[in-house]
Amino acid sequence: MTDQFHRLLMRVQKPARYVGGEYNQIIKDKKDVDVRVAFCFPDTYEIGMSNIGMRILYGVMNEMSGVWCERVFAPWGDMEDKMRAHGLPLWALESHDAVRDFDLVAFTLGYEMCYSNVLNMLELAQIPLLSKDRGGLENIVFAGGVCAVNPEPLADFIDFFSVGEGEESSPEIIECYRAAKKQGLTKLEFLHEVAKIEGVYVPSFYTHTYHEDGTLAAITPEPGAPERVKKRIVQDMNTAYFPTKTIVPSTQIVHDRSNLEIFRGCIRGCRFCQAGFCYRPIRAKSADVLCKQAIESLEDSGNSEITLASLSTSDYRELEALADGLLDYCEPRKINLSLPSLRADNFSRDLMLRVQKVRKSGLTFAPEAGSQRLRDAINKNVTEREILETCATAFSGGWNSVKLYFMLGLPTETDEDVAAIAELVNKIVYCWRQNATNKKRRLSINLATAFFVPKPFTPFQWEKQTSPEEYLRRVHLLQSCLTARGVDYRYHESDLSRLEAVLARGDRRLSKVLLRAHELGCKLDGWDEYFRYDLWMQAFSDCGVDPEFYTTRGFAEDEILPWQTMDVGVSRAFFLRNTQHIKRFYIFI
């Protein structure tokens, strides 16, 4: 990098975000490289380096001969201001080369509120934002991640999407690009070739038409394009690539520890959970493979903590065997073994007592709803009795801290359901008084509620979202019902969740809104310091798009959905059967 760049580093927060040079970063000789990939995470370094999926795909692509994949993160506002003032283009951490010099520019989309960052990063890279304005085979922009199951809001900006898991599809995409580059194909010819790969969706090959009322009339693929794009999945997790020699950050990140992915998918089928449906089927690694990977990762990184990552860790069938194997290594080395995503209905006190010998952390549970009726409606298969028995077990084992997560605005929710959250909290407080063995330390309950967002590919994908005003009324109702001491209650802001719902269920008409929001200065929307709801509402107004069309309106069950071209392996009929079941709860109340 230039002297100018180094001078700028002295004037920004956390300069280690921007310099690379970390232990285990991958450097290749450019003479041996014929395909360069800029792997972009549309958020800050601290968030991106905590993402296990990015670490996996970084390793997968760099194992390919002649391919160099480098990391790119969104700069914080202070650095962005300096970049714009001095004409400094966005760069990759490994080589410090400008992103505009790369063949492929890949984005991972894990959260709808990162969409404005995609546009901002392209602009900072000095790459045209709109796909139609990018000619030739340089700077081909593609994207993947869980948000790719509804790619339409970004359809005008992304050349193609990779739907599903990328360990196998990413090398196929790169080989297709390499062949196109050697043959001198045009961009359109390449897109026709890459569209033949299972899991690849090229939005420009599909025409969306609309009724007068704004609903979709038809989605028409051009000749040769598949009617449905089937997601990719990795069948054998034991043999799938996993990085045990991974980059060790030079600065603190959000999850500053080793992460061990134990299985994909979830057995539970909670009706609100997009990940639970989109990551089906369940595929687990064996305890032997996991122990080997964990020890190799800890030995190489020097981390003092390792987390077992999944959607529902306590549902892993070999959990006790795995924990025993890991603890034999971790205990004498004072390495903490963390088990997130616990279930109240299969909590093991013996296991947790063993696991927390190094460091006892708080317990975290997500009942999601206060009443059993509402938990049944959302298919959250946990009872109040199981929650209280689990708390009693934990309190008698010395725990004094509990985190509880709920949602407000769930379909069929009533004021009685909201008040039931406070009632459950009061019962947990009483349970602590009856069972705690360490009352010198007072009980601490951290209670959080989120604003329910209906997501594609869930049984709730047709449901209306509660209005922000009604959500806040329920927040205040819950606050008035919380009388127990030692309860710290926090709730998600309604504006952010409303916009998340719009982007999650939006169609192609949102591309112009995204572009306008970007022009108005929207970026880093997941951060309170930068989120500007007023600018987003101005963008909707300027473009003549009503956000309520995607939220409080809901969707008719016979309506064509924007994401209908995608096939995640769960049928529409299955979701509709679940929807019919939910309707019985409306009748009940």
Side-chain angles (χ1 to χ4, degrees):
M1 272 293 188
T2 64
D3 290 340
Q4 181 188 60
F5 170 72
H6 288 105
R7 288 195 298 271
L8 293 182
L9 288 177
M10 303 298 293
R11 299 162 59 190
V12 299
Q13 300 176 46
K14 300 183 180 179
R17 290 166 164 164
Y18 309 110
V19 296
E22 308 100 319
Y23 177 70
N24 277 340
Q25 74 167 13
I26 296 173
I27 301 294
K28 295 189 177 183
D29 190 330
K30 294 179 188 177
K31 297 193 302 293
D32 301 326
V33 173
D34 57 1
V35 178
R36 299 188 68 183
V37 182
F39 194 4
C40 302
F41 191 92
D43 211 318
T44 62
Y45 178 92
E46 300 95 299
I47 305 295
M49 286 302 296
S50 300
N51 185 279
I52 191 171
M54 187 172 191
R55 289 176 178 265
I56 290 172
L57 293 180
Y58 176 84
V60 165
M61 288 186 273
N62 277 312
E63 282 210 330
M64 299 178 67
S65 177
V67 176
W68 190 10
C69 173
E70 303 182 49
R71 296 161 297 141
V72 184
F73 300 98
W76 194 245
D78 56 350
M79 175 56 88
E80 180 183 333
D81 291 342
K82 302 292 188 297
M83 291 168 63
R84 291 185 183 277
H86 294 85
L88 189 67
L90 188 65
W91 63 91
L93 294 191
E94 279 75 7
S95 66
H96 294 168
D97 288 344
V99 172
R100 67 188 178 203
D101 296 335
F102 284 68
D103 299 299
L104 296 167
V105 180
F107 285 92
T108 181
L109 307 172
Y111 180 35
E112 291 84 359
M113 301 313 298
C114 76
Y115 290 177
S116 61
N117 292 347
V118 172
L119 274 61
N120 201 46
M121 290 176 74
L122 286 174
E123 183 176 88
L124 289 172
Q126 300 174 6
I127 294 173
L129 302 187
L130 296 170
S131 175
K132 65 182 179 64
D133 294 336
R134 297 190 296 267
L137 282 183
E138 64 278 357
N139 301 151
I140 296 291
V141 179
F142 72 103
V146 69
C147 291
V149 297
N150 179 21
E152 301 309 329
L154 288 169
D156 287 353
F157 313 105
I158 306 297
D159 294 316
F160 67 89
F161 292 84
S162 176
V163 183
E165 297 162 0
E167 288 97 325
E168 295 171 358
S169 61
S170 295
E172 294 173 15
I173 289 168
I174 291 172
E175 289 297 350
C176 181
Y177 178 84
R178 195 198 313 254
K181 193 176 178 182
K182 287 181 179 179
Q183 296 167 26
L185 299 185
T186 65
K187 177 180 176 179
L188 181 60
E189 289 170 331
F190 163 69
L191 291 177
H192 277 289
E193 290 302 312
V194 80
K196 297 175 184 177
I197 297 174
E198 185 177 68
V200 170
Y201 172 66
V202 181
S204 60
F205 291 171
Y206 298 80
T207 300
H208 288 219
T209 54
Y210 301 88
H211 295 295
E212 288 188 7
D213 65 358
T215 59
L216 271 167
I219 300 175
T220 308
E222 72 171 41
E227 287 193 13
R228 302 284 304 285
V229 175
K230 186 178 180 181
K231 74 171 183 183
R232 293 293 292 269
I233 62 170
V234 175
Q235 296 287 354
D236 187 353
M237 292 296 293
N238 281 330
T239 58
Y241 175 85
F242 187 80
T244 55
K245 292 185 179 296
T246 188
I247 295 171
V248 179
S250 299
T251 187
Q252 188 175 16
I253 60 176
V254 174
H255 300 304
D256 207 355
R257 55 190 178 236
S258 293
N259 286 287
L260 187 67
E261 184 185 29
I262 60 178
F263 70 92
R264 290 182 189 170
C266 183
I267 67 172
R268 298 292 176 165
C270 298
R271 293 190 174 104
F272 57 84
C273 183
Q274 184 184 58
F277 292 105
C278 289
Y279 286 112
R280 291 185 177 189
I282 298 165
R283 291 144 293 145
K285 295 181 184 180
S286 71
D288 290 341
V289 169
L290 289 167
C291 279
K292 182 174 181 294
Q293 291 177 345
I295 292 171
E296 288 180 5
S297 177
L298 290 167
E299 290 279 357
D300 187 72
S301 67
N303 284 329
S304 60
E305 182 176 357
I306 186 166
T307 295
L308 304 187
S310 74
L311 292 176
S312 182
T313 298
S314 54
D315 285 327
Y316 178 58
R317 290 182 178 180
E318 297 183 72
L319 182 58
E320 292 198 13
L322 172 61
D324 287 340
L326 291 179
L327 286 168
D328 288 342
Y329 176 85
C330 292
E331 280 187 43
R333 294 166 177 81
K334 304 299 181 183
I335 295 173
N336 187 54
L337 176 61
S338 175
L339 302 180
S341 305
L342 294 175
R343 293 277 306 192
D345 56 354
N346 57 11
F347 175 86
S348 167
R349 177 184 175 183
D350 291 339
L351 175 62
M352 291 305 296
L353 286 174
R354 284 208 61 201
V355 164
Q356 305 223 27
K357 282 184 179 178
V358 176
R359 179 169 61 85
K360 181 172 289 188
S361 57
L363 295 173
T364 301
F365 297 110
E368 309 295 359
S371 69
Q372 192 59 50
R373 185 204 65 78
L374 188 52
R375 285 194 293 272
D376 290 342
I378 65 176
N379 205 34
K380 184 74 177 182
N381 297 309
V382 61
T383 66
E384 181 179 285
R385 179 180 177 182
E386 289 167 337
I387 295 169
L388 294 176
E389 286 179 349
T390 294
C391 289
T393 299
F395 295 150
S396 64
W399 276 268
N400 289 281
S401 176
V402 179
K403 293 181 181 178
L404 299 170
Y405 291 98
F406 295 85
M407 282 186 280
L408 292 178
L410 286 161
T412 82
E413 184 178 73
T414 66
D415 285 359
E416 288 74 18
D417 297 313
V418 176
I421 295 175
E423 293 171 12
L424 180 57
V425 170
N426 289 335
K427 291 176 181 178
I428 291 172
V429 172
Y430 180 76
C431 178
W432 177 80
R433 291 172 181 161
Q434 296 297 110
N435 295 279
T437 56
N438 180 17
K439 293 186 179 179
K440 291 182 180 179
R441 293 181 57 197
R442 299 182 66 176
L443 173 65
S444 172
I445 296 180
N446 292 294
L447 172 64
T449 58
F451 186 3
F452 168 67
V453 175
K455 291 290 182 85
F457 296 108
T458 70
F460 291 148
Q461 64 184 349
W462 293 279
E463 292 284 342
K464 299 177 181 180
Q465 187 186 38
T466 303
S467 70
E469 295 78 15
E470 174 59 19
Y471 163 73
L472 290 174
R473 187 192 69 81
R474 297 182 194 186
V475 164
H476 297 145
L477 172 61
L478 176 56
Q479 286 176 322
S480 69
C481 295
L482 289 169
T483 57
R485 296 178 63 185
V487 179
D488 180 19
Y489 173 44
R490 301 186 181 186
Y491 58 91
H492 289 195
E493 294 298 328
S494 60
D495 294 346
L496 191 71
S497 296
R498 183 196 187 206
L499 184 56
E500 180 185 344
V502 174
L503 295 173
R505 299 202 294 182
D507 52 42
R508 292 191 174 186
R509 290 170 294 190
L510 290 188
S511 286
K512 61 183 180 182
V513 177
L514 274 166
L515 184 59
R516 181 59 182 146
H518 166 70
E519 292 169 349
L520 291 170
C522 293
K523 62 186 177 184
L524 295 171
D525 291 306
W527 297 83
D528 291 342
E529 297 94 322
Y530 285 95
F531 180 54
R532 288 287 304 275
Y533 188 66
D534 59 328
L535 295 183
W536 276 100
M537 291 303 102
Q538 181 182 335
F540 280 106
S541 177
D542 291 350
C543 296
V545 175
D546 182 6
E548 301 299 323
F549 184 82
Y550 308 98
T551 56
T552 55
R553 177 184 73 91
F555 291 82
E557 290 177 9
D558 60 352
E559 186 175 330
I560 295 175
L561 302 173
W563 51 91
Q564 210 154 291
T565 309
M566 304 300 117
D567 178 2
V568 301
V570 183
S571 71
R572 181 185 178 94
F574 174 86
F575 290 133
L576 284 171
R577 285 197 300 272
N578 271 262
T579 300
Q580 295 304 316
H581 180 77
I582 297 163
K583 287 181 178 178
R584 292 199 289 270
F585 287 92
Y586 279 112
I587 295 170
F588 179 82
I589 63 173

